[in-house]
Amino acid sequence: MSDDRRATRVEFFPDPVVRRAVDADFMLSAARRRAEQSQHLFNPDNTVRVRHGGTWMNPGLPEARNAEAQTHSASLSIAFDEIVNNDLDVIHRCVETLSRSMADQLAAMAYGFIQEVCDESGNVVSAALDVPFHETFYSMIEKVEYMVGRDGTVSRPALHVHPGALEKMKKALDEAPPDFEERLEALHAAKEREALATEAARISRFAKSKGEQ
Amino acid sequence: MRILLAIGCDTYENAQSLNGAENDAARVFDALSNPAVGDYDPALSRLLLSPTIEEVRQTLMDVLYKAPGRIDTFTFFFAGHGGVASHNFYLWARNSRADALAPSAFSLSHLFQALHEVRPSQTNIIIDACNSGGLVHDLSALLKPESLGAQGTPGISLIATAAADQYALESDGAGWGTSVILDCIEGRRLVNDHRPTLDLFEIGRVVSSALDSGQQTPVSWGLNIWGAPRFCRNPKFGSDPNIGLREAIDAWPSEGDATIRPHYEGLWRAYTSVAGEWDARAFARTVQEVVDALADRPSALVGFIDRLALACTERARTATDRYRETEVLACLMACLLPLAGQSPINSLVASLQGLTGDAAAEATACLVSALADDRYALLCGGGISDLYLLPIRISKCLGWAAGSFLVGPSEHRTNVFLDLLRVVIEHYPLSAAIMSDSQAPYLAVAFAGIQDAGALDLGEQLASLAFHSLLGCRGQVTKWDVAPSKVFAYLEARRTGEFKDVTDVIERPVEVLTVLMLVAESLQLAEAFDETMRDLDHTSLAAFVTPNFLDYGSERMEIGDYRTWYVGQDIFTCSDIRANWGVRETPATELEARGAILCSLLFADRSPWFLLSP
């Protein structure tokens, strides 16, 4: 071929092997950081991996809500001058920017999904001005189903609130009447008993459990 | 045995007729079957004029499968209509139909499948047809090194006289492309005057140049790794036509065939790598095997490397990396360097050194021009990886730029190098940093070039920037051959200044600091470096010094001293390393010196210390 066949893109010692390896490690680093930032949202034991697209459904659990895969994406920009100036801090900035963006999208999706499910089921407690906060809190706990872990112990629900609202909630609960804590503990105990009973009923459905009975 | 199948098709039942195709085929047939030109066997060769598809297929069967012996060279010529359909290129016969090309036209895939079975040593294909550049669709599927290497054709060259989207033009009853090819074959155009025989491939370059009008852009491609060029005799070779003929006749039997045969699969793979992701050492290992096998036949060896250089440099020009041709030429030179004491190998080594210098100068001029248009032209994508690669790339470009005039002195090349150096210092000062010990040879050659050019002020700035970056990381640079998978971790360590988790990628001892300390005095930087030397306490330095300069291209240099020094033990100032250098080894000849410089730029684990040592 003539010299004209040279690709129009001209490079000088590009080293694509190192480029690919660094890009891959950069993405791994951002993914690890994203996982750290999202770990408060998801128990790793409850995290599953899907390989294909389509709908996520549980045919044996008609009450479970179907869902579809959602794509999260983030982009970042690096100024040529940052590279030319060999500014190594750009690595940290890019990892944080990318992982934060992905973690935020993941959190928004998770909270949005929970809200949709609660709205659909009516499992929502609204704060009312004429109801003291501790009573609203009590109602909220009443609506939550406690879960039993693989080790057989009951875990109490986790509360996700905006950092600014947390102090207000603590203060309101501290100002609750003296018998509130006792009422709340009694509710916790009842919920835990209810969870253990539900778990025992679930376990009893296994053939081995039936044989032991 | 040399067989030609020439086909010209003017008459078409289902397409517009042509005027010059039959004439072109007849002229090519006459020329190549002339013993003084092509020496193709007229009894076994065939000329087909406006044949049907059935006649084409039958004739191909006859010439390939009924030959009375092994076919050394097979040449296929076609002039007529051509076209691409469903990613296949078809040659139109008299009765071909546009709506049924697969059954009614001749596919190049069919030809290649037959060639795989018959296995001529060299195949030449000339297509003078519209859209003939479309045959690359077939090539990508058919010319895989594994299929060629394992099954047959070790050498193949082709010319398509028009690009995939162009018409092949004709005038006065002759195709433009065929006319240029015949001019080369019959001596009206010069291809070269130093080889007794010609490759179709090198004729293709002349055709490309001659038809460079924008209306018709030829495509040529090829590699001949067996024996002498086989397409035709070179009418321009030598002043005495009898000498040319005699040498040409001597050249037809390829004396290296049996020796090269076991390596041709690897050679094809090496050849195809030249345009893509290329590893100089892997390429050198493959070539070295053939060089070693032919070492006792210098003439055959020279012929082989000469042909390989021709094909590989042409292919290297298609790479996006502008320095690829430079490195390929240097690599071939490096493989021959240990034998450079013999004639005629020494002549070829000197020639390859000159060509390497030319290619490096051309690439550097391209780089300087690109930087004038875009000051970020040295970035490759501008991603995170360039934080590591850009400093290495800069020193490598500076090294090759200096190397271009150290192996081929030229005021112009010197000025281009200085232009590049100024751009680096003005626009890339913080990337004139040290990341890897692989930068040692590049900087050694660059500083030798700076001293040669008398540009000490620029040298002082470059050395200061490099030394400052070494101080910043306390001499913790990567090994010259660091695994790509470790580079990101190193960058993180470099950012935080905490290297304990990447100790396995840090080079010890380092050669790059040796380079900077050696040049410090001449650049009047010794005092400044000495004042901060304590920050490099415990750093070990090294230099591998060999008296055997012909061994500079070897993967492992066996003879020499691995000299090491320690900052804080025997080294406290720059003058200490000069005082404790030991014996100075210098090359005996210019050829050795140039060979060592180019090998150091090619293989980053060796430096040309003779350029800097006291």
Side-chain angles (χ1 to χ4, degrees):
Chain A
M1 290 182 203
S2 69
D3 285 355
D4 293 333
R5 70 186 166 162
R6 185 193 291 278
T8 51
R9 186 168 54 94
V10 174
E11 295 180 319
F12 306 91
F13 300 118
D15 206 335
V17 177
V18 169
R19 186 162 59 192
R20 279 199 301 273
V22 170
D23 286 349
D25 285 341
F26 168 75
M27 293 307 293
L28 275 177
S29 178
R32 274 197 296 269
R33 185 73 187 108
R34 201 278 306 150
E36 287 171 11
Q37 290 165 339
S38 302
Q39 65 182 4
H40 67 287
L41 276 180
F42 304 103
N43 180 343
D45 284 344
N46 292 335
T47 305
V48 295
R49 187 167 70 100
V50 293
R51 273 171 279 185
H52 311 291
T55 306
W56 175 260
M57 61 189 299
N58 302 84
L61 296 172
E63 70 277 16
R65 193 169 189 272
N66 294 342
E68 289 183 351
Q70 290 188 25
T71 302
H72 296 167
S73 64
S75 63
L76 51 88
S77 60
I78 304 171
F80 282 171
D81 280 333
E82 289 178 297
I83 302 298
V84 166
N85 293 334
N86 206 239
D87 179 5
L88 295 174
D89 286 335
V90 78
I91 300 172
H92 181 67
R93 180 178 69 73
C94 287
V95 166
E96 286 300 310
T97 302
L98 196 58
S99 59
R100 188 75 264 167
S101 172
M102 296 296 280
D104 287 350
Q105 290 175 61
L106 193 63
M109 183 198 71
Y111 291 128
F113 188 74
I114 290 169
Q115 183 167 355
E116 279 177 34
V117 171
C118 291
D119 286 346
E120 279 177 16
S121 65
N123 204 13
V124 176
V125 175
S126 299
L129 288 175
D130 56 344
V131 178
F133 175 75
H134 65 273
E135 292 300 338
T136 306
F137 185 80
Y138 189 89
S139 300
M140 183 176 72
I141 297 296
E142 270 187 315
K143 284 179 175 285
V144 177
E145 186 178 339
Y146 285 20
M147 304 300 294
V148 178
R150 294 179 186 209
D151 61 355
T153 60
V154 181
S155 55
R156 291 184 177 183
L159 197 61
H160 291 234
V161 294
H162 188 277
L166 182 63
E167 289 306 315
K168 286 182 186 173
M169 287 176 64
K170 277 184 179 172
K171 188 166 180 289
L173 291 175
D174 287 345
E175 289 170 355
D179 65 335
F180 176 72
E181 192 171 341
E182 198 175 323
R183 278 176 60 212
L184 188 62
E185 278 306 314
L187 178 61
H188 281 317
K191 285 280 178 185
E192 286 169 358
R193 282 194 301 276
E194 187 183 314
L196 288 169
T198 305
E199 176 68 358
R202 187 184 69 82
I203 294 293
S204 71
R205 296 175 66 185
F206 288 112
K208 185 179 177 188
S209 302
K210 284 175 184 164
E212 287 171 351
Q213 284 174 347
Chain B
M1 187 180 306
R2 296 166 57 73
I3 295 179
L4 165 69
L5 173 56
I7 303 171
C9 198
D10 279 340
T11 307
Y12 287 96
E13 296 168 6
N14 304 300
Q16 187 179 357
S17 294
L18 298 173
N19 294 320
E22 289 188 5
N23 183 39
D24 284 345
R27 288 196 299 154
V28 167
F29 188 87
D30 289 345
L32 291 180
S33 54
N34 179 346
V37 178
D39 199 23
Y40 287 80
D41 188 332
L44 299 173
S45 299
R46 293 286 184 274
L47 169 65
L48 295 180
L49 301 178
S50 296
T52 62
I53 183 61
E54 293 77 15
E55 289 170 329
V56 172
R57 288 178 180 149
Q58 185 58 51
T59 308
L60 184 70
M61 283 280 289
D62 291 345
V63 296
L64 287 180
Y65 292 92
K66 292 184 180 173
R70 186 165 191 278
I71 301 175
D72 177 81
T73 302
F74 174 69
T75 293
F76 179 88
F77 174 89
F78 177 85
H81 282 308
V84 177
S86 304
H87 302 291
N88 281 301
F89 181 71
Y90 291 96
L91 307 174
W92 280 57
R94 172 200 287 264
N95 56 341
S96 296
R97 288 169 37 183
D99 59 344
L101 282 176
S104 69
F106 185 67
S107 161
L108 273 191
S109 308
H110 184 89
L111 174 62
F112 284 127
Q113 283 158 8
L115 291 172
H116 280 168
E117 290 179 357
V118 178
R119 302 160 67 177
S121 294
Q122 177 67 30
T123 298
N124 305 301
I125 299 171
I126 305 166
I127 311 290
D128 192 357
C130 299
N131 313 127
S132 51
L135 58 79
V136 294
H137 292 297
D138 298 275
L139 285 179
S140 59
L142 294 166
L143 294 187
K144 293 175 184 170
E146 55 268 30
S147 60
L148 285 164
Q151 295 177 33
T153 305
I156 187 163
S157 303
L158 62 90
I159 299 177
T161 59
D165 57 351
Q166 289 179 330
Y167 294 109
L169 304 174
E170 59 179 26
S171 57
D172 300 329
W176 288 10
T178 300
S179 293
V180 179
I181 293 169
L182 281 166
D183 286 348
C184 297
I185 293 173
E186 296 176 335
R188 293 183 292 276
R189 275 181 195 270
L190 173 68
V191 179
N192 71 61
D193 59 2
H194 60 276
R195 290 192 192 88
T197 52
L198 295 177
D199 257 340
L200 180 61
F201 173 59
E202 53 192 345
I203 291 176
R205 298 210 297 185
V206 177
V207 176
S208 293
S209 173
L211 295 185
D212 190 18
S213 63
Q215 292 174 279
Q216 199 170 330
T217 307
V219 173
S220 68
W221 187 94
L223 173 64
N224 168 17
I225 54 180
W226 269 21
R230 286 175 160 84
F231 178 64
C232 67
R233 298 202 164 104
N234 182 2
K236 294 288 190 185
F237 175 67
S239 53
D240 177 356
N242 293 326
I243 292 176
L245 182 61
R246 191 164 57 245
E247 294 202 18
I249 290 167
D250 288 345
W252 289 131
S254 44
E255 58 171 312
D257 275 11
T259 311
I260 297 168
R261 183 190 294 265
H263 304 285
Y264 68 65
E265 190 169 338
L267 284 170
W268 266 98
R269 196 162 284 120
Y271 166 73
T272 51
S273 76
V274 160
E277 285 184 14
W278 190 68
D279 178 336
R281 181 51 77 187
F283 182 88
R285 280 190 202 114
T286 303
V287 175
Q288 194 68 54
E289 286 180 13
V290 185
V291 169
D292 292 345
L294 289 173
D296 57 348
R297 281 168 289 169
S299 296
L301 176 58
V302 165
F304 166 72
I305 295 292
D306 192 30
R307 292 191 305 280
L308 195 62
L310 186 71
C312 287
T313 51
E314 185 68 9
R315 187 161 177 80
R317 290 190 188 118
T318 67
T320 56
D321 180 1
R322 280 306 297 253
Y323 281 96
R324 182 62 51 79
E325 183 183 357
T326 308
E327 290 198 304
V328 167
L329 285 163
C331 205
L332 292 169
M333 186 282 303
C335 292
L336 284 184
L337 192 60
L339 304 170
Q342 307 173 43
S343 178
I345 296 173
N346 54 354
S347 299
L348 183 57
V349 168
S351 167
L352 289 171
Q353 289 176 351
L355 291 171
T356 306
D358 294 346
E362 197 180 313
T364 306
C366 172
L367 171 58
V368 170
S369 168
L371 284 166
D373 292 340
D374 171 13
R375 76 184 184 92
Y376 300 113
L378 268 167
L379 296 176
C380 283
I384 298 286
S385 58
D386 266 350
L387 290 169
Y388 179 78
L389 291 174
L390 181 59
I392 298 172
R393 187 177 303 133
I394 285 173
S395 53
K396 203 167 182 179
C397 291
L398 288 172
W400 276 109
S404 75
F405 66 86
L406 291 176
V407 303
S410 148
E411 190 179 339
H412 175 68
R413 290 180 186 185
T414 305
N415 290 335
V416 172
F417 164 69
L418 295 177
D419 286 345
L420 176 61
L421 187 51
R422 286 189 197 97
V423 172
V424 166
I425 288 170
E426 184 178 351
H427 294 304
Y428 293 83
L430 297 176
S431 280
I434 307 299
M435 286 282 165
S436 160
D437 206 39
S438 68
Q439 293 167 259
Y442 312 140
L443 289 175
V445 178
F447 283 118
I450 285 167
Q451 288 172 345
D452 188 77
L456 300 186
D457 52 337
L458 291 171
E460 180 189 340
Q461 293 178 68
L462 182 67
S464 295
L465 291 165
F467 191 77
H468 182 75
S469 82
L470 267 186
L471 288 177
C473 65
R474 302 190 309 279
Q476 310 286 296
V477 298
T478 67
K479 293 175 177 174
W480 70 273
D481 58 346
V482 63
S485 60
K486 301 279 188 179
V487 169
F488 185 77
Y490 172 75
L491 282 173
E492 278 284 77
R494 184 90 178 231
R495 179 177 73 82
T496 59
E498 185 53 71
F499 293 92
K500 69 179 186 329
D501 292 333
V502 291
T503 50
D504 57 329
V505 308
I506 303 299
E507 189 71 284
R508 292 186 193 82
V510 289
E511 295 201 357
V512 70
L513 181 57
T514 313
V515 172
L516 294 174
M517 291 179 70
L518 282 174
V519 300
E521 196 172 310
S522 64
L523 298 174
Q524 299 184 324
L525 284 168
E527 197 176 326
F529 285 9
D530 291 349
E531 282 177 13
T532 50
M533 194 62 70
R534 190 173 170 183
D535 293 342
L536 293 170
D537 195 10
H538 304 299
T539 303
S540 51
L541 293 72
F544 181 80
V545 180
T546 176
N548 185 3
F549 290 91
L550 295 181
D551 204 28
Y552 248 78
S554 302
E555 189 155 4
R556 181 182 168 90
M557 293 186 279
E558 298 293 348
I559 300 171
D561 306 324
Y562 213 104
R563 301 177 188 179
T564 54
W565 305 268
Y566 293 88
V567 175
Q569 289 187 30
D570 48 349
I571 301 293
F572 294 89
T573 67
C574 292
S575 61
D576 289 337
I577 197 162
R578 301 181 77 83
N580 294 298
W581 182 259
V583 178
R584 180 169 195 256
E585 303 287 359
T586 51
T589 65
E590 211 163 58
L591 187 133
E592 287 183 358
R594 291 174 176 177
I597 291 170
L598 296 178
C599 288
S600 301
L601 291 169
L602 185 65
F603 304 121
D605 60 339
R606 60 210 64 200
S607 295
W609 297 111
F610 62 93
L611 294 174
L612 307 176
S613 57

Coordinates of all heavy atoms in Angstrom, one line a residue, chain B residues 2 14 51 180 276 296 336 385 401 447 499 576 587 592:
Chain B
R2 N 8.0 -21.9 -12.6 CA 7.3 -20.6 -12.5 C 6.1 -20.6 -13.4 O 6.3 -20.8 -14.6 CB 8.4 -19.5 -12.9 CG 9.5 -19.5 -11.9 CD 10.7 -18.7 -12.4 NE 10.3 -17.3 -12.7 CZ 10.1 -16.4 -11.8 NH1 10.1 -16.6 -10.5 NH2 9.7 -15.1 -12.2
N14 N -23.3 -9.4 -19.2 CA -24.2 -8.8 -18.3 C -23.6 -7.5 -17.7 O -24.0 -7.1 -16.6 CB -24.6 -9.7 -17.2 CG -25.2 -11.0 -17.7 OD1 -26.2 -11.0 -18.4 ND2 -24.5 -12.1 -17.4
P51 N -12.8 -15.0 -20.7 CA -13.2 -16.4 -20.5 C -14.6 -16.4 -19.7 O -14.9 -15.4 -19.0 CB -12.1 -17.0 -19.6 CG -11.6 -15.8 -18.8 CD -11.7 -14.6 -19.7
V180 N 1.9 0.9 -15.6 CA 3.0 1.2 -14.7 C 3.8 -0.1 -14.3 O 5.0 -0.1 -14.2 CB 2.5 1.9 -13.5 CG1 3.7 2.2 -12.5 CG2 1.8 3.2 -13.9
G276 N 0.8 -3.7 14.6 CA -0.1 -3.6 15.7 C 0.6 -3.5 17.0 O 1.6 -2.7 17.1
D296 N 26.1 -19.2 8.8 CA 27.3 -19.7 8.0 C 27.1 -19.5 6.5 O 27.9 -19.9 5.7 CB 27.5 -21.2 8.3 CG 26.3 -22.1 8.0 OD1 25.2 -21.4 7.8 OD2 26.3 -23.3 8.0
L336 N 21.6 -8.7 13.5 CA 22.8 -8.9 12.7 C 24.1 -8.5 13.3 O 25.2 -8.9 12.9 CB 22.6 -8.2 11.3 CG 21.7 -8.7 10.3 CD1 21.8 -7.9 9.0 CD2 22.0 -10.2 10.0
S385 N -3.1 6.7 32.6 CA -1.8 5.9 32.3 C -0.7 6.9 31.8 O 0.4 6.6 31.9 CB -2.1 4.9 31.2 OG -2.6 5.5 30.0
A401 N 15.5 11.0 19.0 CA 15.9 12.2 18.3 C 17.4 12.5 18.3 O 18.0 12.8 17.3 CB 15.1 13.4 18.8
F447 N 21.4 13.1 26.5 CA 22.5 14.0 27.0 C 23.7 14.0 26.1 O 24.4 15.0 26.0 CB 22.8 13.6 28.5 CG 21.8 14.1 29.4 CD1 21.0 13.2 30.2 CD2 21.5 15.5 29.6 CE1 20.1 13.7 31.1 CE2 20.5 15.9 30.5 CZ 19.8 15.0 31.2
F499 N 6.0 3.6 49.7 CA 6.4 2.6 48.7 C 6.4 1.2 49.3 O 6.8 0.3 48.6 CB 7.7 3.0 48.1 CG 7.7 4.2 47.2 CD1 8.0 5.4 47.8 CD2 7.3 4.2 45.9 CE1 8.0 6.6 47.0 CE2 7.3 5.3 45.1 CZ 7.6 6.5 45.7
D576 N 32.4 11.5 42.8 CA 32.8 10.2 43.3 C 32.6 9.1 42.3 O 33.4 8.1 42.1 CB 32.0 9.8 44.6 CG 32.5 10.6 45.8 OD1 33.6 11.1 45.7 OD2 31.7 10.8 46.7
P587 N 34.0 1.7 21.9 CA 33.9 0.9 20.7 C 35.0 1.2 19.7 O 35.5 2.3 19.7 CB 32.5 1.3 20.1 CG 32.1 2.5 20.8 CD 32.9 2.6 22.1
E592 N 30.3 -0.2 15.4 CA 30.0 -0.7 16.8 C 29.3 0.3 17.6 O 28.4 0.0 18.4 CB 31.3 -1.2 17.4 CG 31.9 -2.5 16.9 CD 33.2 -2.9 17.6 OE1 33.6 -2.2 18.6 OE2 33.7 -3.9 17.3

